[in-house]
Amino acid sequence: MSGDRIETYLSGLKRELRIRWVPSDRLVEETRSHLADAVNAAVARRLTPDAAEQEALSRFGDARTVAEQFAAERYRRLEWIMLAPALLVGISIAMIDARPHWDDTGITVGMLLIGSALLGLGVTRRAWMIALAVGVWIPGWMVAHSLVEKPALVASAVPVGCVVLAVTMAGAYLGMGVRRLATYSGQRV
Amino acid sequence: MQGEALKGHLDLLLLAAVEHRPSHGYAIVETLRQRSRGAFNLTEGTLYPALHRLEHAGWVASSWSDQNGRRRRVYELTDRGRERLAERQREWRAFALAVNHTVEGLA
C-alpha cells in the first residue's frame, strides 16, 4: 500500500499536465520529492505511513487543480497572443459579411464556425475569449451601421449577435475539445 | 488564511522565503507556515507554478541537488530577485501602513 497512492497521484498529475500541454517531467519529479518530504515529516509526528500519505496528498491539492495552475501560468501570455489572429479572423469575416451584395448566411456561419474551431485548437482553456474575439465584429458592425443609416434597426443586432456568438462559442470549444481529446488519445497509445 | 486572500502577495512571500538561503519546495512551504504561525495554509501544489513563474521572470534560479540520497529542486534568490524583493517590501510597507491607518482610524 505504502507509496502506491503517491505513485497513482503522480501518474494522474502527469496525465493532467500533458492534457494541458505542460511539460511534466520536472514538475512530477519535484512533486515526488515534495510528497516524500511531507510524508517523512508527518511520520515524524507519529502518523502512520498510510495517514501520512493521505495528509501529504490532501495538502498538495488534487492533480487537476495543480495542473490547471501550471497551465494558467504557462499559457497566460499565449492566450493573449492568440487573441490577435482571432481578432483578425473576426474582422475579416465581418468585412466579407458586410459587403453590399453578400447574402450567403450559410457561408458566413461556416466561416465563423471553422475559423473559431481552428483558433480553438490553439488554446487549452478560456476558449470563450477566442469566441468573443471572432464573433463580436458582425453584431458590432450591425450596430455601428444601423446607428448611422437606420437607428431603428439597432435592436436587430441583438438576436444576430446571440446567434453569431453561439456559433463562435461552439466552434472555439469544439476546437479546444478536439485538442484535449487528441492529447488524451496520444496518452493512451 | 486561504490562497485566494494571498493571491496578490504570493510573489512577495515566496521571494522572502528564499531570501536568506536556497530552499526546496517543501522547505519553502514550511517556512511560510512557520513564519505565519500557521496562518498561511495554502494548497501546497499551487506554490510550484508560482515558483516556476518567478524563475521565468529571473527572480529566482533553481537547480537539482542531491541531499541524503534524495533529489530536490532548490530555489535561490538572484540579484534581480533581491532588487524585486526590496521593491515589493517597500510597496507592502506603504500599503500595510495605509490600511492600518484606514482601518484603525489613525490620523
Side-chain angles (χ1 to χ4, degrees):
Chain A
M1 180 70 189
S2 185
D4 286 356
R5 189 183 285 154
I6 286 181
E7 286 308 315
T8 304
Y9 176 87
L10 292 172
S11 301
L13 178 61
K14 197 169 191 170
R15 188 173 58 247
E16 294 291 342
L17 288 167
R18 287 194 174 169
I19 289 165
R20 292 166 179 80
W21 293 47
V22 177
S24 61
D25 289 351
R26 173 180 158 187
L27 306 179
V28 170
E29 275 309 301
E30 284 192 274
T31 304
R32 177 178 279 115
S33 155
H34 182 108
L35 292 173
D37 282 330
V39 168
N40 286 345
V43 167
R45 285 188 282 112
R46 299 180 185 277
L47 260 68
T48 64
D50 199 45
E53 279 185 16
Q54 201 163 355
E55 183 191 85
L57 290 173
S58 162
R59 284 185 174 180
F60 201 81
D62 75 278
R64 175 171 292 187
T65 305
V66 174
E68 276 173 358
Q69 285 274 337
F70 272 115
E73 295 288 357
R74 187 174 177 82
Y75 293 112
R76 188 177 292 173
R77 285 183 194 164
L78 184 65
E79 281 168 4
W80 290 106
I81 291 169
M82 284 298 291
L83 275 183
L87 290 169
L88 267 177
V89 167
I91 291 170
S92 305
I93 295 172
M95 283 173 68
I96 293 169
D97 189 67
R99 289 193 312 189
H101 302 297
W102 182 265
D103 62 352
D104 202 329
T105 308
I107 292 179
T108 301
V109 170
M111 287 191 297
L112 288 168
L113 189 68
I114 292 169
S116 50
L118 289 174
L119 289 158
L121 286 170
V123 296
T124 55
R125 57 184 208 129
R126 291 188 185 169
W128 59 266
M129 280 171 60
I130 298 293
L132 278 181
V134 174
V136 79
W137 300 100
I138 290 180
W141 167 255
M142 282 184 72
V143 169
H145 185 67
S146 303
L147 282 174
V148 175
E149 302 278 327
K150 298 171 189 165
L153 292 179
V154 169
S156 67
V158 174
V160 172
C162 290
V163 171
V164 168
L165 289 177
V167 170
T168 56
M169 286 282 176
Y173 277 93
L174 180 71
M176 188 178 75
V178 167
R179 175 175 176 159
R180 285 191 174 190
L181 199 64
T183 314
Y184 262 123
S185 307
Q187 295 256 314
R188 293 162 71 98
V189 171
Chain B
M1 198 178 292
Q2 294 307 308
E4 202 59 32
L6 297 175
K7 233 175 192 174
H9 312 296
L10 194 53
D11 290 6
L12 170 61
L13 295 173
L14 292 176
L15 292 173
V18 294
E19 182 183 7
H20 298 300
R21 59 172 181 174
S23 300
H24 55 83
Y26 184 74
I28 293 171
V29 169
E30 282 299 297
T31 300
L32 292 179
R33 194 174 285 136
Q34 284 167 11
R35 286 190 187 175
S36 71
R37 293 169 177 78
F40 295 164
N41 194 18
L42 296 165
T43 304
E44 294 172 9
T46 60
L47 290 185
Y48 286 91
L51 281 171
H52 287 215
R53 174 165 44 76
L54 296 183
E55 185 176 0
H56 190 71
W59 296 331
V60 298
S62 76
S63 58
W64 289 110
S65 153
D66 283 308
Q67 297 168 348
N68 304 326
R70 183 169 311 139
R71 202 160 171 251
R72 292 183 173 101
R73 192 84 183 178
V74 173
Y75 294 85
E76 63 182 317
L77 209 56
T78 62
D79 289 342
R80 281 183 59 200
R82 214 165 286 283
E83 287 167 16
R84 178 67 178 162
L85 174 61
E87 184 187 327
R88 289 299 315 268
Q89 283 171 328
R90 276 195 300 276
E91 287 171 6
W92 171 254
R93 284 186 198 109
F95 176 72
L97 192 66
V99 170
N100 270 339
H101 282 184
T102 307
V103 171
E104 306 296 339
L106 301 174

